[in-house]
């Protein structure tokens, strides 16, 4: 009997093809937020039917297209939120719809946001916070609560809103706040799970931000994946602004809830395990940053408990890192160490400095992870004594730091020396010694620092000796490193930067072009030109760069240097630069960077009206010199107390042209023509004024007092002049007829001369009492009333 073919009809075989019409057996699905009893709808996590997906895609497209009228937009949003509120807990778990909901929620009203938050609270809120997609939706809702509070408080003063609308809006905001506090209380119960969950931890950070009113950085609140998706949609760069306090502080109930949430986190089982945890450690960092702005006492309590964790009490077993705690070398705990150095009070900072950093600075600086904590320590040193201890320990090891590529540690030390104004000379001498720079060739120090090369490597010298051929082959700056540029910028801010200034001024034209056309080196030249010392060296450098200005103008980095050059160059140098730029007009106008230099320097105006252009540049230079001292001051000086009237009126009053000319000359302000003529008559020669200028310019405080004295004297002289003019007018007017009331030009000149006599001959009007002045004013008014009676209407 022939055997049947494989796949034929037999009890043991099966059909070769599937029947499309036959119903397949569906496997039961597991549910996280629902039950398997709902057979009429597919309620799997994040699974939506095509009709629902199409509806929300159309909603997203309509939001992108916009609306013609505001009323149409309000009707559309009301209809959409009516659908969303019914199944928000299911929609938020879908990857596509969750992103659409984040965009939609940013346009929601306070009532809509309250309804959505209430619906989320009723459907296992803590479980939704730990969902992969719903967590981001809840995070958006939480962050919008503070926004609605600020908007509501700002609209209370609006004139357009009626009393009823204000009352309704206030009630809506109050209900939103109460509901948000209820949600926070529910999160307090499950905080142990949320703080260790990847998605729930981001919701906690948003809650910290809303409760405290502190705006955190986006990279602290949002994950990298979420930020990447937002940047693709909005095409906006990530914000790098530090944490700031908002203008409108949160309600007191929010701060109490923040305190309750913080105390609950401190009581979590195995709190020591949260410090090195990959998810919980960023939560503690956000909490410390927030408390530092609103409650320093509670922040100190958290800092002390964090420092009692196991990673701070245990030390490394390696021989090279003996005595170093595990937190400094841990990949995740080191971040919280950086936060502690930023937010801790002075006592906690000193304790942290002495227990975990001092006498361990060299191994910490060479470690690939601990070096970042050390750099944060150098950037946040509080006292000069702490900086002195750091310099004593690290100064002998500068060469080791450079050999291991840890130039960033030196940069932070230089910045600390600038900030505290101590240890600068010792730091610079040790740094030059670490680069093996001989005293006879100290002018090469800027090139060596910019390239971060030792003297032997930069000059191409062998160990046997140095020849002239080797020096001519090398010894020219060709590359500029970022670390070298930053180090030079801090050294130029030292109080004694003569060595660095001399080295940059002695560079060749080729080296200056390399420095100016480099993205890092251009900042060195800008810092050199804007420094307050070395005026002659600046002029020498500007003349040396005369042949490079066209090349610099057509370079991306060099054009920035050109802007700095134009701000500090004198008029004669600007004229020479303009002549060079006019010769290469076609090249500059066709270049994308050169056209901006052409416009900023006003070269078109120079070609057409050279004289006017030079006058404008000279006026700008005088203005810059006039306000140079004022702009250099960090804070405006306090006004001195007003002198007593007896002291002000005692003794003869000197002429303002004699005593105030030196102060005016220091300020760069000339006297009026009449006053200058009077001064020449009195003094006879300007030599005395020149000596006064030289004497007064020695002390800046004297110049400030002179300015204030000038204002006081001018004010008193004006008052005396007005009294004298009133007296003369009251005596002269009654003698004239009514029709000849208007004085002619000759009478006006006589009146001016009589007024000028007040300044030359010190009349007794300055010593009159207030009662006499009032009596004279009354007499004057009576006389004018007789001459000019009121007309009857």
């Amino acid at each position: 009997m022939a055997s049947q073919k494989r796949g034929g009809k037999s009890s043991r075989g099966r059909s070769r093809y599937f029947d499309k019409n036959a119903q397949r057996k569906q496997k039961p699905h597991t549910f996280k937020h629902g039950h398997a009893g709902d057979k009429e709808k597919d309620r799997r996590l994040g699974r939506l039917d095509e009709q629902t997906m199409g509806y929300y895609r159309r909603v997203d497209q309509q939001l992108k297209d916009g609306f013609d009228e505001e009323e149409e937009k309000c009707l559309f949003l009301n209809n959409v939120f009516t659908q969303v509120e019914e199944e928000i807990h299911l929609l938020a778990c879908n990857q596509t719809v969750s992103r659409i909901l984040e965009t939609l929620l940013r346009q929601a009203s306070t009532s809509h946001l309250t309804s959505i938050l209430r619906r989320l609270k009723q459907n296992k809120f803590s479980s939704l916070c730990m969902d992969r997609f719903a967590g981001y939706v809840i995070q958006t809702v939480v962050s919008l609560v503070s926004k609605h509070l600020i908007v509501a408080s700002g609209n209370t003063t609006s004139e357009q809103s009626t009393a009823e609308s204000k009352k309704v809006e206030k009630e809506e905001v109050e209900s939103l706040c109460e509901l948000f506090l209820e949600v926070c209380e529910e999160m307090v119960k499950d905080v142990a799970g949320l703080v260790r969950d990847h998605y729930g931890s981001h919701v906690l950070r948003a809650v910290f931000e809303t409760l405290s009113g502190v705006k955190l950085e986006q990279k602290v609140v949002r994950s990298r994946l979420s930020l990447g998706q937002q940047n693709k949609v909005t095409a906006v760069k990530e914000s790098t602004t530090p944490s700031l306090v908002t203008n409108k502080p949160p309600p007191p109930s929010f701060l109490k809830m923040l305190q309750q949430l913080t105390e609950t986190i401190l009581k979590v089982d195995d709190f020591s395990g949260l410090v090195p945890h990959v998810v919980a450690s960023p939560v503690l960092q956000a909490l410390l940053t927030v408390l530092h702005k609103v409650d320093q006492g509670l922040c100190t309590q958290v800092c002390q408990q964090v420092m009692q964790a196991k990673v701070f009490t245990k030390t490394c077993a390696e021989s090279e890192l003996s005595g170093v705690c595990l937190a400094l070398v841990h990949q995740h705990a080191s971040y919280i160490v950086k936060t502690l150095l930023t937010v801790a009070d002075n006592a906690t900072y000193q304790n942290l400095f002495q227990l975990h950093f001092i006498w361990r600075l060299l191994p910490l600086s060479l470690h690939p992870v601990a070096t970042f904590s050390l750099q944060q320590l150098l950037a946040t040193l509080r006292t000069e004594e702490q900086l002195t201890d750091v310099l004593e320990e690290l100064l002998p090891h500068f060469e080791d730091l450079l050999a291991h590529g840890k130039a960033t540690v030196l940069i932070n030390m230089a910045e600390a020396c600038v900030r505290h104004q101590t240890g600068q000379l010792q730091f610079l001498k040790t740094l030059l010694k670490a680069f093996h720079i001989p005293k006879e060739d100290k002018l090469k120090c800027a090139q060596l620092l910019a390239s971060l090369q030792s003297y032997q490597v930069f000059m191409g010298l062998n160990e046997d000796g140095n020849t002239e051929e080797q020096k001519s082959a090398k010894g020219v700056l060709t590359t500029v490193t970022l670390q070298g540029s930053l180090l030079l910028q801090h050294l130029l801010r030292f109080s004694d930067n003569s060595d660095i200034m001399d080295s940059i001024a002695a560079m060749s034209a080729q080296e200056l072009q390399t420095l100016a056309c480099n993205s890092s080196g251009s900042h060195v030249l800008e810092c050199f030109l804007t420094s307050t010392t070395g005026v002659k060296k600046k002029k020498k450098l500007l003349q040396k760069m005369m042949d490079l200005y066209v090349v610099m103008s057509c370079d991306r980095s060099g054009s920035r240097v050109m802007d700095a050059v134009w701000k500090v160059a004198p008029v004669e140098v600007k004229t020479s630069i303009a002549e060079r730029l006019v010769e290469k007009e076609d090249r500059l106008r066709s270049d994308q960077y050169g056209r901006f230099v052409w416009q900023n320097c006003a070269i078109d105006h120079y070609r057409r009206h050279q004289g006017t252009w030079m006058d404008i540049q000279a006026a700008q230079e005088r203005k810059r010199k006039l306000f140079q001292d004022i702009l250099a001051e960090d804070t405006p000086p306090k006004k001195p107390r007003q002198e007593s009237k007896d002291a002000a009126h005692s003794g003869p009053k000197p002429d303002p042209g004699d005593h105030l000319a030196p102060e005016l000359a220091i300020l760069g302000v000339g006297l009026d023509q009449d006053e200058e003529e009077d001064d020449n008559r009195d003094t006879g020669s300007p030599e005395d004024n020149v000596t006064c200028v030289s004497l007064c310019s020695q002390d800046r405080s004297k110049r400030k007092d002179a300015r204030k004295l000038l204002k006081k004297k001018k004010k008193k002289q004006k008052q005396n002049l007005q009294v004298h003019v009133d007296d003369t007018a009251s005596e002269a007017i009654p003698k004239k007829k009514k029709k000849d009331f208007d004085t002619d030009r000759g009478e006006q000149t006589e009146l001016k001369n009589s007024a000028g006599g007040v300044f030359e001959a010190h009349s007794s009007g300055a010593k009159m009492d207030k009662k006499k002045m009032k009596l004279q004013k009354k007499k004057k008014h009576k006389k004018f009333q007789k001459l000019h009676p009121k007309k009857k209407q």
Side-chain angles (χ1 to χ4, degrees):
M1 183 177 177
S3 60
Q4 292 182 353
K5 294 182 179 181
R6 189 173 181 179
K9 294 180 180 181
S10 61
S11 58
R12 297 177 60 185
R14 62 178 181 175
S15 59
R16 188 171 183 179
Y17 302 103
F18 292 105
D19 188 2
K20 295 182 181 180
N21 297 326
Q23 295 183 358
R24 302 178 189 176
K25 295 182 179 180
Q26 297 181 357
K27 295 182 180 180
H29 300 283
T30 58
F31 297 88
K32 189 173 182 180
H33 302 293
H35 300 280
D38 300 334
K39 296 182 179 180
E40 68 278 6
K41 295 182 180 180
D42 190 4
R43 293 295 186 183
R44 286 178 295 175
L45 181 64
R47 180 65 62 88
L48 300 173
D49 53 4
E50 291 297 330
Q51 184 177 1
T52 305
M53 294 290 294
Y55 172 75
Y56 286 103
R57 287 194 181 100
R58 291 193 297 272
V59 169
D60 185 35
Q61 187 62 38
Q62 184 63 40
L63 291 174
K64 292 178 181 178
D65 296 340
F67 301 90
D68 297 335
E69 297 179 358
E70 188 67 22
E71 184 178 358
E72 182 182 356
K73 180 181 177 181
C74 293
L75 292 174
F76 175 80
L77 292 176
N78 289 332
N79 294 332
V80 173
F81 278 111
T82 303
Q83 299 293 329
V84 169
E85 291 170 4
E86 296 178 357
E87 47 186 9
I88 180 65
H89 60 288
L90 299 176
L91 298 174
C93 297
N94 183 271
Q95 181 179 7
T96 304
V97 180
S98 63
R99 294 173 181 170
I100 299 173
L101 287 176
E102 289 187 53
T103 307
L104 187 64
L105 286 169
R106 292 185 178 92
Q107 303 184 28
S109 62
T110 306
S111 59
H112 293 153
L113 194 66
T114 305
S115 302
I116 289 174
L117 188 59
R118 182 178 291 107
R119 188 72 175 180
L120 290 171
K121 179 179 175 293
Q122 295 172 356
N123 291 272
K124 297 183 179 180
F125 184 82
S126 299
S127 300
L128 290 174
C129 291
M130 301 179 190
D131 186 78
R132 182 180 181 183
F133 304 114
Y136 293 111
V137 177
I138 296 175
Q139 190 175 347
T140 303
V141 172
V142 170
S143 61
L144 289 174
V145 172
S146 59
K147 179 181 177 182
H148 282 264
L149 287 175
I150 296 173
V151 172
S153 59
N155 290 340
T156 53
T157 59
S158 178
E159 297 179 357
Q160 299 178 357
S161 59
T162 61
E164 295 181 358
S165 61
K166 290 180 183 179
K167 185 177 179 180
V168 172
E169 187 176 3
K170 184 178 180 180
E171 292 177 355
E172 290 178 353
V173 172
E174 290 178 355
S175 61
L176 177 62
C177 294
E178 293 176 0
L179 182 61
F180 177 68
L181 293 175
E182 294 177 3
V183 169
C184 292
E185 290 178 357
E186 187 173 346
M187 294 180 67
V188 168
K189 300 176 183 177
D190 301 329
V191 70
L194 291 172
V195 75
R196 292 184 174 91
D197 186 76
H198 178 74
Y199 303 103
S201 62
H202 289 88
V203 179
L204 270 179
R205 300 178 208 177
V207 170
F208 294 156
E209 186 179 28
T210 302
L211 291 176
S212 63
V214 178
K215 184 65 178 177
L216 297 174
E217 299 180 34
Q218 285 296 315
K219 64 180 181 180
V220 176
V221 182
R222 286 274 181 173
S223 63
R224 295 181 181 179
L225 179 62
S226 178
L227 287 176
Q229 293 293 337
Q230 285 184 354
N231 294 338
K232 287 181 181 179
V233 175
T234 59
V236 177
K237 293 184 179 180
E238 181 183 351
S239 176
T240 57
T241 56
S243 303
L244 300 173
V245 180
T246 56
N247 295 329
K248 300 294 181 181
S253 58
F254 279 27
L255 297 178
K256 292 181 181 179
M257 179 55 64
L258 178 63
Q259 183 179 1
Q260 181 181 354
L261 192 58
T262 303
E263 293 174 354
T264 307
I265 293 176
L266 294 178
K267 296 177 182 178
V268 171
D269 296 338
D270 191 19
F271 180 82
S272 299
L274 300 180
V275 177
H277 197 270
V278 62
V279 176
S281 180
V283 176
L284 294 178
Q285 297 171 37
L287 180 61
L288 287 171
T289 305
V290 160
L291 293 176
H292 175 61
K293 302 290 184 180
V294 296
D295 192 349
Q296 184 60 39
L298 189 58
C299 178
T300 303
Q301 183 180 350
V302 178
C303 291
Q304 293 175 356
Q305 187 159 346
V306 167
M307 291 175 60
Q308 295 175 2
K310 295 180 181 178
V311 289
F312 282 91
T313 56
K314 292 184 178 181
T315 57
C316 299
E318 302 177 9
S319 58
E320 298 178 355
L321 299 174
S322 59
V324 177
C325 66
L326 291 175
L328 295 174
V329 299
H330 195 274
Q331 184 178 2
H332 306 298
S334 60
Y335 286 97
I336 205 168
V337 174
K338 295 173 64 176
T339 306
L340 287 174
L341 293 170
T342 305
V343 305
D345 58 344
N346 294 333
T348 308
Y349 185 93
Q350 182 67 20
N351 188 19
L352 188 64
F353 176 76
Q354 293 179 351
L355 290 178
H356 303 293
F357 284 98
I358 197 64
W359 308 120
R360 306 174 184 88
L361 298 179
L362 182 61
L364 290 177
S365 60
L366 300 179
H367 194 270
V369 177
T371 183
F372 296 102
S373 300
L374 178 62
Q375 293 172 22
Q376 185 68 19
L377 174 75
L378 296 174
T380 57
L381 287 173
R382 307 290 177 88
T383 61
E384 296 181 3
E385 290 77 11
Q386 295 172 355
L387 178 59
T388 303
D389 295 340
V390 171
L391 290 175
E392 289 179 359
E393 186 173 352
L394 287 181
L395 281 177
H397 305 286
F398 273 16
E399 192 170 351
D400 296 334
L401 295 174
L402 291 170
H404 287 81
K406 302 299 180 183
T408 312
V409 178
L410 301 180
I411 294 171
N412 287 287
M413 290 180 67
E415 184 182 4
C417 291
V418 173
R419 189 171 62 253
H420 293 282
Q421 293 295 320
T422 183
Q424 296 180 1
L425 183 61
Q426 190 178 7
F427 178 87
L428 183 58
K429 287 183 178 179
T430 309
L431 184 65
L432 298 181
K433 184 178 179 181
F435 279 89
H436 303 164
I437 301 175
K439 294 182 179 180
E440 61 273 7
D441 206 359
K442 192 179 291 186
L443 293 178
K444 290 288 184 181
C445 63
Q447 293 92 319
L448 299 177
L449 293 172
S451 59
L452 284 183
Q453 294 179 356
S454 64
Y455 182 79
Q456 291 78 7
V457 175
F458 184 79
M459 301 298 295
L461 304 177
N462 296 327
E463 296 181 358
D464 300 337
N466 49 0
T467 60
E468 296 295 333
E469 296 179 358
Q470 292 172 339
K471 283 188 177 182
S472 61
K474 289 193 175 184
V476 179
L477 181 65
T478 56
T479 58
V480 181
T481 61
L482 174 62
Q483 291 79 6
S485 173
L486 293 173
L487 188 58
L488 277 174
Q489 293 175 47
H490 291 306
L491 293 177
L492 285 171
R493 296 187 181 97
F494 280 13
S495 57
D496 185 10
N497 56 359
S498 57
D499 293 338
I500 308 298
M501 297 282 286
D502 293 337
S503 179
I504 295 176
M507 285 186 180
S508 61
Q510 180 183 355
E511 291 176 329
L512 290 174
Q513 181 179 350
T514 302
L515 197 64
C517 297
N518 185 274
S519 58
S520 302
S522 60
H523 294 283
V524 177
L525 282 180
E526 290 181 18
C527 189
F528 176 88
L529 294 171
T530 56
S531 61
T532 56
T533 58
V535 179
K536 296 181 179 179
K537 298 172 185 177
K538 292 179 185 178
K539 292 183 179 179
K540 181 181 177 182
L541 185 70
L542 294 176
Q543 293 292 343
K544 187 182 293 187
M545 296 170 62
M546 194 61 66
D547 296 332
L548 305 176
Y549 290 129
V550 176
V551 180
M552 290 164 53
S553 301
C554 299
D555 185 78
R556 180 179 182 180
S557 302
S559 60
R560 301 289 185 182
V561 181
M562 279 295 300
D563 295 338
V565 167
W566 198 257
K567 290 179 181 179
V568 300
V571 179
E572 56 272 12
V573 177
K574 288 183 179 180
T575 306
S576 303
I577 295 173
E579 293 175 356
R580 301 297 178 94
L581 297 180
V582 168
E583 295 175 359
K584 301 294 182 180
E585 179 181 358
D586 296 336
R587 180 179 177 182
L588 291 173
R589 285 182 175 274
S590 60
D591 189 79
Q592 59 175 340
Y593 305 110
R595 65 169 66 100
F596 290 104
V597 177
W598 183 276
Q599 182 180 0
N600 295 337
C601 299
I603 306 300
D604 283 333
H605 190 209
Y606 171 79
R607 291 176 55 193
R608 297 171 184 174
H609 309 285
Q610 185 174 356
T612 309
W613 181 87
M614 294 182 67
D615 293 339
I616 294 174
Q617 299 299 327
Q620 291 179 355
E621 184 176 359
R622 287 195 301 269
K623 188 185 297 183
R624 178 175 56 83
K625 290 180 179 179
L626 176 63
F627 294 102
Q628 186 174 6
D629 296 337
I630 300 174
L631 295 175
E633 298 174 359
D634 295 334
T635 56
K638 295 183 179 179
K639 295 183 179 180
R641 295 182 179 178
Q642 190 175 2
E643 299 178 358
S644 61
K645 296 181 180 180
D646 298 335
H649 294 290
S650 61
K653 293 186 178 180
D655 188 72
D658 296 333
H659 292 270
L660 301 177
E663 288 80 358
L664 293 172
I666 293 170
L667 295 174
V669 180
L671 295 173
D672 295 338
Q673 187 175 0
D674 297 335
E675 294 177 355
E676 288 179 354
E677 292 176 359
D678 295 336
D679 295 339
N680 293 333
R681 294 193 194 100
D682 296 336
T683 57
S685 63
E687 295 178 358
D688 297 334
N689 293 337
V690 174
T691 56
C692 293
V693 171
S694 61
L695 291 173
C696 294
S697 60
Q698 294 177 0
D699 191 1
R700 184 179 297 178
S701 61
K702 294 182 180 180
R703 286 181 282 172
K704 297 178 186 176
D705 298 338
R707 297 171 196 161
K708 296 167 186 175
L709 185 61
L710 172 62
K711 293 180 180 179
K712 290 182 180 179
K713 290 184 177 180
K714 280 187 175 182
K715 187 176 180 181
K716 294 178 181 178
Q717 289 165 1
K718 286 181 180 180
Q719 293 177 357
N720 298 334
L721 175 61
Q722 186 66 29
V723 172
H724 184 75
V725 171
D726 293 340
D727 295 340
T728 54
S730 61
E731 295 174 359
I733 288 174
K735 297 179 181 180
K736 295 182 180 180
K737 297 181 181 180
K738 185 175 181 181
K739 60 180 181 180
D740 297 332
F741 177 74
D742 296 331
T743 59
D744 57 357
R745 186 175 299 178
E747 293 174 346
Q748 291 179 0
T749 55
E750 291 177 1
L751 189 61
K752 287 184 179 179
N753 294 332
S754 63
V758 177
F759 293 96
E760 296 176 1
H762 304 285
S763 62
S764 60
K767 301 180 179 179
M768 294 176 64
D769 297 332
K770 292 183 179 180
K771 294 183 179 180
K772 294 182 179 180
M773 294 172 64
K774 290 181 180 180
L775 291 174
Q776 289 182 357
K777 287 183 180 180
K778 290 181 179 179
K779 292 179 181 179
K780 178 185 67 175
H781 289 308
K782 291 180 180 179
K783 291 179 180 180
F784 275 105
Q785 288 176 2
K786 294 178 181 179
L787 290 173
H788 300 282
K790 295 183 180 180
K791 295 181 180 181
K792 297 181 180 180
Q793 295 181 356

